[in-house]
Structure formats: structure tokens, C-alpha cells
Amino acid sequence: MDELRRHILKSGGGAALALLLGAGLLRPTRVLAANWNAPAFESKDVAGALRGLGAGAAQAQASADLKLDAPEIAENGAVVPLEIVSKIPNTSAIAVLIEKNPQPLAGHFEFSGPLLPQVSLRVKMAETSMVRVLALAGGKYYSSSKEIKVTAGGCGG
Amino acid sequence: MLRREFLQVLAAAAAAGFALDGRAATAPAAVEQNYNLPRYGNVHLLHFTDCHAQLLPIWFREPDTHIGTGSSAGKPPHLTGERLLRTYALKPGSAMAYACTHLDFENAARTYGRMGGFAHLATLINMLRASRPGALLLDGGDTWQGSATALYTRGQDMVDAAKLLGVNVMTGHWEFTYGVERLQQVLERDFKGHIDFVARNVTTLDFDDAVFTPYVLREMNGVPVAIIGQAFPYVPVAHPARFVPDWRFGIRDVNLQRTVDEVRARGARVVVLLSHNGMDVDLKLASRVRGMDVILGGHTHDALPAPVIVGSTLVANSGCNGKFLSVLDFDVRNNRIQGYRYKLLPVFANLLAPDAAMQAYIERVREPYLKQLTEPLAVTEGLLYRRGNFNGTWDQLILDALMETQDAEIAFSPGFRFGPSLLPGETITMEALMAECAITYPQVNVREMRGSEIKALLEDMADNLFNPDPYYQQGGDMVRVGGLRYTCAPTAKMGQRIQNLRLAGKPLDADKSYKVAGWAPLADDAAGEPVWDVVAGWLRARKTVTPRHAAQPRLT
């Protein structure tokens, strides 16, 4: 464990994040009201969220170069860790949809400049659902999915 | 050397009277077949797993029902009874048939005697070590839980027993249910310099940093051998999450590939995954991760006489409760594995003289608790066993006790796979009862549940067992159900597996509320009497327990 790193981030995490945002390196749409994609985020179904994301999102092509690392069974549905990496050249955005959530679009990240298209996030899941991630690269959408189970648990061997 | 020791063992076996009915079990040929294992090659691994703190020899009836779904259907480890015998060419009525199946259990048990016990296991291990210089002893976990003394000492009795046994490398599952602090205390105070606890798939919640050593690299007879640890992937799901509040688990096969590549790059010629995934998960894992020579697995308690070969990976599982020791020899020359020999050795207490040092240790560790351990609660008229996909008679007894003492119309009991058996006519002691339920969250609770909630709970549990994708299974058996009857369609989709729920002949009403008793709650604020006190009270009042009928769902 890197205690030093943990200490630095704990004491100055907020400032560091603000710095990144200020430098325009990290641009979660949620923070910048001007770019807030209300139709996509507020949609109550997957089709609507995809429509909101833009033309071609619904026709995304499955790609092995878009990697979603996530648990098969959530340890805590309130904070399910996802890690997404796109190895597709010129990836400019990554979107995350939890298909069974009341509002499926859970995140939309845009990348500019030299940023690696890689994001880690925690999502809330009420029930077992397919998690679909989309990458936008060169005007085309690519996708990858995985089922994440949310269980009552108990009864281990 | 081996042969000489072997004759001593044999003499002890004759004295102990291995075969009560004069079958051929004590014939030298039969005994040799079991234990005279000539050394092969130069890399030697001894593996036991899921002993569940059984220091003394026990009876353990293997399952009669072990359903596989999806690509697992009908294949190992989903074999029972005659089908298992046929697959592995075991003779009906033989010692191995007794060890690996439920067939004719009561008679076979009286013929071949109890199995396991650390003193007997120690003798076998010492014998094998003498013939296999450099051999590593691997413990797959579920070692510190499952007995009264393990619970009373918070695993200390087993920690010291494992050290005395000479365990080299270990991974874990139930070990985590004593909490993070206790686990770290043992690693720091007891294991350091003796036993390596390896677990590559446990990281911190905040930064995903490794918590444990992911692997050890050991040179054995000139060959670098890597042992990678894979702890049970679902600790915070299967148990109260409060025991491991800051840690993440999971199968995480993508990262495993990186670890395997890393140990290969560091020169490992034999790569071993010491796994607590469960057999089905291990089989899938072996198909997705390249470069592992063997997965020595546990968790699902599968006693398989031979490994399953997936690509170039052997996938083995070494049973449970101290019944077996797996011996795996590799012949490594010219930097590669030229061949292997694998043997699942049954530990027959009557064939292996107890190791004196271990025997003395066991007596010492039990001594302070002897009075409470040996308290007779009742005599059982029927065979009591747990293992199987659905209710066993031991579970039925617990369910019956819960329903009667809590005045509940329905009862649930966890689908645990540990817990030895008792033969008809034996006394149920406090120790025997504790072996079925000694856990760190034993509270009995009673709650009102709507019919729809009951159905949802059963569906959830059934999916943990029957999901066609092993990565979505947790490895226990189906929750044990008292009062309710149902039909079960293992191959159906989630939500459709549990049908025709009936209570006292009437269909369960989705909107009606029912009084349900259970134990082993996951909630942090759960209060209640420990299940062993509830069941002990019920048993004491009875003196004799009539044979239990283990209610089974109708399978469709």
C-alpha cells in the first residue's frame, strides 16, 4: 500500500481535481453545465439515452479493443467499480450505460489532447443489469458489455 | 524408506481393525494401492483444502445431488454416485467409492472407518515428504473455521496445527470472517517466517492496491516454482461485508494473466494457482488465462480422483474436511514439464497411525473445552449429513428446531457445504452440532416476509448455484428450506427456476406475510441467540431424534 500517496490525495484531493479541471484536462460533462447532455442523461430507457448521445450510438459495433473491467458480482450495489480503457485510435469520448437503472446513462467522458481514453468510476446499481460502454472514435461508436449481478448474498460454501 | 514406514503403518492399521466386516480393505495390496506412491519427477506439491478445522477424524457423506448447468452439465465435478464411479473406474464398495460417493454410506462408513484428522494427515504428509525432498505443502483455505475450538480460539488452534503440519503456502476464505485485524494479526504474529498467505485478488477499495503477497517463487530441486494465491472471490457478498470493509475481491482474470506472465518472466518453470474459486470457476478461468500448469482448487468441496485438463492446465479439487490429500508430481527437465502424476489420496484414520506430536497438540488444544465439547445433547436415530444441492438431514434437523422453537411456519438455513455426518445411533454432542454451525455471525432471527419476497430470495439463491456462467456462481449449495415445498428448474432463467411454492398444501400467497426463521444474517445490526444454543436446547429436550426426512424440491 502506498500510504504516502493516500495521504497526499486525502489531504489535497479536492485541490488536485480542481487543478485538472481548471487545466481542461479532465472534462466530465456533469461539471460543465454548457455541455450537459440533458436528453441523454435524463432518458429513462437505453434507446432514449443512445438517441441523446448522438447519431450512430444505437448502431455501435462490438469491439474487443474497448475493455470493461468490472466484477461479475457486485460486492456493494451502491458503489460498483468500473474501469474502462479504449485502445481504439482517436477515441474522443466514452459513455457508460447501466441498462436497468432508472436513468441508464451513468457517465459520459470526453477526451482531448494527449489524454489516454481510460476512466475509472463507481456506479450505483439497483439490480442485476447489463453494463454497456460505448467509445466514440473517428465519428463512429464502438461498444462492449458485461452483466453485473447484484445479489442478496449469503450462503457461501 | 517409504516401504519400511509403510509396513509400520500397515501394522497399525491391522491393530486398529480397518475392515470391521473382513472385507479386503486391509489386504496389503489395497493399502499399497492407497499409499505407496513412488516418487516421480522433481517438483512435488501436496495439497489439502477446506478442512474446516476438523482436527479429529470424521464421517463425511458426499452429495447425492450435484447439478451442473450450462457447459458444466453432466461433467466433472458434477458427478455423483455410480456415475462418478464409472467415470473414474472405481469399484463399487471399494474404499475409494466410500471416500468419493454417498453410496451405501452407512455400511461403508462402518467398514472403512472415519476419515481425516490432523494427526493422521500429519503421518501421511511426513511419509510423502520423506520420499519427496523439497515438497511444498499447500493449504487452499477454509482451515480456521468449522469447529467449536476454532471459533472459541478465533482460529488459533488451526493456525498452530497448520504450522505443526508444515504448511508452506496458504490462501483463504472463511479466514476473512474473523475480520481484517485478526487475519493480519495471525499473518504478522504466527505466519511470518513459516507460512506465506497469498491472495492476488484482494486489493484496497480506495486505490486498488494489493493487500497480500500475490505469489511466492520457490526453487525446488533446481526448478523455480511459482505459487499464485487466489482467495475466495466473493467474501463481502457471501458474508457480512463488515468483516472486510476496506477490501475488494473478485475473480479478476485479466489481472491474473499479468501475474502469470510476470512469474514466467521471472523464470518460473511450474506455475500453480492455489485457488479458492470453486471448481467451475477454475475450469472457466483455465480456459481464459494462459500459462498456468495447474490449478489446485477448493471451495466447492469436490473430491475428484483425477484432474480435468483444460488446454495445458490441470484443474484439480481436493475435497474437504481433511478427507483427502492431493499429491502432484511434475517431471521438469530442459526447462519444461515432461510429465506429471496426480493422486487424490484418501486419509483413512484406521490406516494411518496418528502422528504423536500432532496428537498431543490436538489433545492439549481441546483440553480446556473438553467438558462443553463432549456434552451429549441427544442420540440420533437416523443418518445426519449436510452435503448436496438441497436439504440434507442435518439441515432438516436445524430447520425443524428453528421452526419449532421460534414458532415460525417457514425456516431458512444457509447452503453451507462444510459439516461432517453422524451415523444412526451416535450421540449428538455439542461439538458435533458446532461442526455444522460454528461461524462468526450465528444469530437466529425471525422476520415477516411476503410471499413475493420469499420467492425473490429463493430465485436469488438458486441463481448463485445454477447460473450457467460459473463466474456468476458463488459456490455454496441451495439455501435449505423448512416448511415450504417447491419445484426447481435449475436450467431455467433467473426468476423462473422456483415454481409451485406451497405451504401446508396451499399455494404461497405473493402478498401475504409469513413468519420466517433463519440464521447467519448479513445485516450489521442483526441480533439474536446463536443458532447452536437454539438447536442444543431443542435437542436436550428431546434426548432422541427420530430420522429426519430431508425435504427435496421436485426437479423439473
Side-chain angles (χ1 to χ4, degrees), chain B residues 60-319:
Chain B
F60 189 90
R61 178 191 184 271
E62 298 292 335
D64 54 40
T65 308
H66 190 5
I67 299 164
T69 55
S71 58
S72 311
K75 291 194 206 140
H78 300 280
L79 303 170
T80 58
E82 270 123 23
R83 186 132 187 214
L84 187 143
L85 296 187
R86 276 200 305 278
T87 304
Y88 296 102
L90 303 178
K91 240 173 64 197
S94 67
M96 269 306 265
Y98 160 60
C100 296
T101 73
H102 67 285
L103 297 170
D104 194 23
F105 183 76
E106 198 189 317
N107 280 325
R110 296 195 195 280
T111 303
Y112 296 109
R114 292 172 194 270
M115 297 190 68
F118 264 51
H120 308 271
L121 184 61
T123 297
L124 182 58
I125 286 168
N126 292 342
M127 198 165 93
L128 291 161
R129 277 205 152 127
S131 66
R132 285 163 170 76
L136 285 177
L137 177 59
L138 311 180
D139 173 357
D142 280 1
T143 306
W144 306 354
Q145 176 278 340
S147 74
T149 52
L151 187 71
Y152 300 155
T153 64
R154 294 177 58 76
Q156 194 64 41
D157 65 334
M158 298 311 298
V159 167
D160 292 327
K163 280 169 74 177
L164 194 55
L165 200 61
V167 170
N168 299 105
V169 189
M170 178 191 185
T171 192
H173 165 204
W174 276 94
E175 285 72 16
F176 293 98
T177 64
Y178 290 106
V180 167
E181 275 163 36
R182 174 63 181 145
L183 183 64
Q184 286 178 328
Q185 182 188 49
V186 169
L187 301 197
E188 193 62 32
R189 205 176 64 188
D190 300 289
F191 274 19
K192 203 167 239 179
H194 299 277
I195 300 177
D196 287 302
F197 189 93
V198 288
R200 56 152 289 273
N201 58 329
V202 185
T203 60
T204 60
L205 264 179
D206 51 6
F207 291 114
D208 208 20
D209 292 326
V211 175
F212 302 99
T213 313
Y215 61 84
V216 291
L217 202 53
R218 295 280 183 89
E219 192 169 293
M220 193 191 305
N221 303 318
V223 181
V225 179
I227 316 285
I228 303 171
Q230 173 87 356
F232 176 53
Y234 295 122
V235 171
V237 181
H239 305 286
R242 66 177 179 274
F243 296 136
V244 286
D246 302 320
W247 294 349
R248 262 178 77 182
F249 291 71
I251 301 168
R252 305 165 90 172
D253 58 8
V254 179
N255 294 340
L256 177 58
Q257 185 65 64
R258 279 179 221 141
T259 307
V260 172
D261 294 346
E262 183 183 318
V263 298
R264 286 280 177 199
R266 288 185 63 188
R269 294 291 175 236
V270 175
V271 176
V272 182
L273 185 72
L274 177 60
S275 162
H276 206 102
N277 278 332
M279 181 90 181
D280 289 315
V281 175
D282 283 336
L283 289 169
K284 180 173 173 184
L285 191 68
S287 74
R288 290 169 56 92
V289 175
R290 296 172 313 279
M292 294 181 293
D293 297 304
V294 61
I295 300 179
L296 290 170
H299 184 53
T300 38
H301 295 193
D302 298 303
L304 293 180
V308 176
I309 300 169
V310 181
S312 56
T313 306
L314 304 171
V315 181
N317 207 284
S318 305

Side-chain angles (χ1 to χ4, degrees), chain A residues 21-114:
Chain A
L21 289 169
L25 290 173
L26 185 68
R27 198 148 64 93
T29 47
R30 227 182 171 137
V31 178
L32 302 173
N35 279 2
W36 174 246
N37 186 344
F41 275 106
E42 284 163 19
S43 171
K44 293 194 165 40
D45 57 44
V46 174
L50 292 174
R51 262 198 313 280
L53 283 173
Q59 287 78 42
Q61 182 191 325
S63 170
D65 289 328
L66 179 59
K67 307 242 188 243
L68 166 61
D69 191 7
E72 283 76 17
I73 303 178
E75 293 176 357
N76 178 354
V79 278
V80 182
L82 309 178
E83 190 168 326
I84 303 146
V85 185
S86 173
K87 294 198 170 145
I88 304 165
N90 305 315
T91 298
S92 56
I94 286 176
V96 183
L97 289 94
I98 317 297
E99 296 192 356
K100 291 248 183 93
N101 269 12
Q103 294 181 329
L105 185 61
H108 186 221
F109 305 85
E110 293 175 4
F111 304 91
S112 57

Side-chain angles (χ1 to χ4, degrees), chain A residues 1-2 5-6 9 69 72-75 81 83 122 146-157, chain B residues 174 204-207 209 234 236-238 247-249 299 414 416 460-461 463-464 471-472 474 476 522:
Chain A
M1 265 183 277
D2 189 345
R5 180 182 48 172
R6 177 165 299 124
L9 284 178
D69 191 7
E72 283 76 17
I73 303 178
E75 293 176 357
E83 190 168 326
R122 312 269 166 108
K146 176 170 184 166
E147 183 176 42
I148 299 182
K149 193 162 130 174
V150 179
T151 163
C155 304
Chain B
W174 276 94
T204 60
L205 264 179
D206 51 6
F207 291 114
D209 292 326
Y234 295 122
V237 181
W247 294 349
R248 262 178 77 182
F249 291 71
H299 184 53
F416 295 143
D460 195 72
M461 297 299 172
D463 195 60
N464 286 340
Y471 276 18
Y472 293 87
Q474 283 175 42
L522 297 185

